[in-house]
Amino acid sequence: MSLLAIGINHNSASVELREKVAFGPEKLPQALKQLGDNPYVNGSVIISTCNRTEIYCDVKALGKSKVIDWLAQFHQISPEALKPSLYVHEEQAAIRHLMRVSCGLDSLVLGEPQILGQVKQAYSDSRQHQSVDTAMDKLFQKVFSVAKRVRTETDIGGNAVSVAYAACTLAKHIFESLRESTVLLVGAGETIELVAKHLASNGCSDMIVANRTYERAEPLAEQFGAQIIGLPEIPNHLARADIVISSTASPLPIIGKGMVETALKARRHQPMLLVDIAVPRDIESQVAELDDAYLYSVDDLQSIVENNMEQRKVEAIQAEAIVSEESATFMSWLRSLQAVDSIRDYRKAANDIREDLLSKSLQSLAAGTDPEKVLLELSNKLTNKLIHAPTRALQSAAEQGEPAKLATLRQSLGLEDS
């Protein structure tokens, strides 16, 4: 039994190669079946995301080269084109790598939590296709507990490291609860969609989406139960908004100082948070001059993101220490399993010797042989047979000039160092 991790990721391979080596939902069942039928593979789990494709296996001797060859053949890529981008980890290094991946320590965005869900899904898919053996099952269960420990004992995932997340974090700091807040989202692109997801996860349910076209905004509005308005309608709805988050491709500002000033009067000067993620700006910079208007630009958010990323790097030091400790512990447990068969075989051999000699001694006693003579012969023969193999091993180590092996044998036999 040997643990193996083979893969490529955003650090080792181009997007083009990662796309070629990816296992989509339609390919995964066939891939797991082929690995399961491979005589060199006892169990396997395949993790395939936009940033990485990794195969974790419990393999027999020569399994490493067989799995690499299979990976190239499955995706119809020449081994020469694939191997320079591959990384290979074995035994404790494989355990440690999987733990780092699951904890977000090997991610494009340090500490991101989504990868753990992807690892859990990969494990579930492999179990469903009956490709997880005992060793792989124990490994992944341990990995999940380590990821939980890292999240509990460190704050590696606790700081906003995306502009969208930073915008929502800022809103949470200014408004006690987003459940009671009305949010105006200007634009309907990917960034605004991500902002909406973060807002919804924090309990915000009152959203307005302002966009140039209704058609582009409809999927977003339906997903979050938001109201849709056109960009020209913003002045009519701005006073309702406690929070305004804007990200469009407009070449000119959409929200001006006068528009916000009018809205604040209608709000009786209740505070308004405005977050401008767009470049060029969607909100005139002069809005910051107004009382009760709190304007943050993309540069302000980027500064928050950079500070938080530095904090994550500090937390990552503790996370790495946890991973190193836990991977060593698990590897020690795995090694202990390798001794089980040897211990069982050694006990059986000793017991077979005992039963054989005991049977002969009982026969001698039944034949009327002097009991003292029978016991003396039994003890001598039992001792000689039990020490025969260790004695030969000691003599061989001494004759071959292997002091380290000789010392190990002496220690295993409970002999004091001379």
Side-chain angles (χ1 to χ4, degrees):
M1 177 180 70
S2 179
L3 292 178
L4 179 69
I6 294 173
I8 63 171
N9 64 13
H10 54 279
N11 291 320
S12 71
S14 65
V15 173
E16 290 76 17
L17 183 58
R18 297 204 305 271
E19 288 174 342
K20 290 178 182 178
V21 182
F23 291 91
E26 71 286 350
K27 292 182 178 180
L28 189 60
Q30 180 188 2
L32 289 171
K33 184 179 186 308
Q34 288 185 12
L35 280 173
D37 293 340
N38 192 313
Y40 293 91
V41 178
N42 297 320
S44 61
V45 174
I46 297 175
I47 298 172
S48 189
T49 72
C50 58
N51 285 328
R52 73 179 65 246
T53 290
E54 295 179 338
I55 303 172
Y56 293 88
C57 298
D58 171 19
V59 296
K60 299 174 183 176
L62 305 178
K64 177 171 68 173
S65 61
K66 299 296 183 181
V67 173
I68 293 174
D69 290 343
W70 170 84
L71 179 62
Q73 182 181 4
F74 185 89
H75 291 291
Q76 298 181 342
I77 303 171
S78 69
E80 293 73 22
L82 179 61
K83 287 180 180 179
S85 298
L86 277 180
Y87 45 81
V88 179
H89 303 293
E90 299 179 73
E91 300 293 48
Q92 187 175 338
I95 299 167
R96 185 173 183 275
H97 181 73
L98 178 56
M99 288 181 178
R100 293 187 75 252
V101 168
S102 301
C103 294
L105 294 170
D106 193 58
S107 296
L108 185 61
V109 177
L110 181 64
E112 60 94 1
Q114 289 82 6
I115 185 62
L116 178 58
Q118 292 167 331
V119 173
K120 287 183 175 180
Q121 185 60 54
Y123 165 74
S124 177
D125 290 340
S126 296
R127 279 185 60 87
Q128 182 181 343
H129 291 90
Q130 300 179 335
S131 64
V132 178
D133 68 343
T134 301
M136 297 301 292
D137 184 61
K138 295 291 185 183
L139 171 60
F140 275 81
Q141 293 301 326
K142 181 64 173 179
V143 164
F144 299 149
S145 70
V146 171
K148 182 178 180 181
R149 181 184 168 192
V150 166
R151 294 287 166 179
T152 301
E153 297 183 18
T154 76
D155 199 27
I156 192 168
N159 301 296
V161 290
S162 73
V163 168
Y165 189 20
C168 297
T169 303
L170 196 59
K172 284 164 56 180
H173 284 313
I174 293 177
F175 294 90
E176 189 172 325
S177 171
L178 297 185
R179 295 181 184 277
E180 307 299 325
S181 301
T182 298
V183 180
L184 171 62
L185 301 172
V186 184
E190 291 182 5
T191 301
I192 287 296
E193 182 179 1
L194 190 55
V195 168
K197 287 180 179 178
H198 288 310
L199 289 169
S201 68
N202 282 280
C204 180
S205 58
D206 189 3
M207 300 185 206
I208 306 166
V209 178
N211 198 54
R212 184 174 59 82
T213 64
Y214 275 67
E215 293 76 18
R216 181 70 179 84
E218 278 180 342
L220 181 64
E222 289 178 4
Q223 186 177 354
F224 299 101
Q227 177 187 353
I228 304 175
I229 64 173
L231 295 181
E233 299 176 75
I234 289 177
N236 301 328
H237 296 268
L238 189 57
R240 290 173 50 198
D242 301 300
I243 302 165
V244 179
I245 302 176
S246 185
S247 178
T248 75
S250 173
L252 297 172
I254 295 171
I255 299 174
K257 179 180 179 182
M259 189 190 302
V260 177
E261 191 171 19
T262 301
L264 287 172
K265 288 179 181 177
R267 289 172 59 83
R268 297 183 180 180
H269 297 284
Q270 292 182 40
M272 179 187 292
L273 170 66
L274 300 102
V275 182
D276 189 353
I277 307 177
V279 178
R281 296 183 180 189
D282 282 340
I283 304 172
E284 287 183 349
S285 60
Q286 290 82 358
V287 168
E289 299 170 3
L290 298 172
D291 292 336
D292 304 314
Y294 301 91
L295 175 62
Y296 291 83
S297 70
V298 68
D299 289 341
D300 298 323
L301 295 185
Q302 197 60 48
S303 176
I304 294 172
V305 166
E306 289 172 1
N307 289 336
N308 287 345
M309 183 56 77
E310 289 302 315
Q311 183 58 38
R312 283 199 178 189
K313 289 178 181 178
V314 172
E315 296 295 324
I317 296 173
Q318 183 182 352
E320 293 280 11
I322 292 173
V323 166
S324 295
E325 172 199 332
E326 294 281 9
S327 61
T329 300
F330 188 78
M331 191 66 226
S332 295
W333 177 78
L334 271 184
R335 289 192 183 112
S336 72
L337 292 184
Q338 296 173 4
V340 170
D341 289 344
S342 297
I343 293 171
R344 184 182 62 245
D345 292 345
Y346 181 65
R347 282 183 170 275
K348 183 179 183 305
N351 197 53
D352 287 346
I353 293 172
R354 181 189 65 83
E355 288 185 351
D356 178 58
L357 294 177
L358 178 61
S359 175
K360 290 177 180 178
S361 297
L362 291 173
Q363 290 175 11
S364 295
L365 287 172
T369 307
D370 180 16
E372 186 176 346
K373 181 180 178 181
V374 171
L375 286 174
L376 183 61
E377 184 178 2
L378 172 62
S379 64
N380 287 334
K381 286 184 176 181
L382 184 59
T383 299
N384 288 334
K385 283 186 174 289
L386 289 178
I387 69 172
H388 176 68
T391 300
R392 287 184 59 188
L394 287 166
Q395 288 174 337
S396 175
E399 291 169 0
Q400 297 296 324
E402 298 175 309
K405 184 176 180 181
L406 185 61
T408 300
L409 287 168
R410 286 181 59 83
Q411 183 183 12
S412 66
L413 294 171
L415 303 176
E416 294 294 331
D417 290 337
S418 58

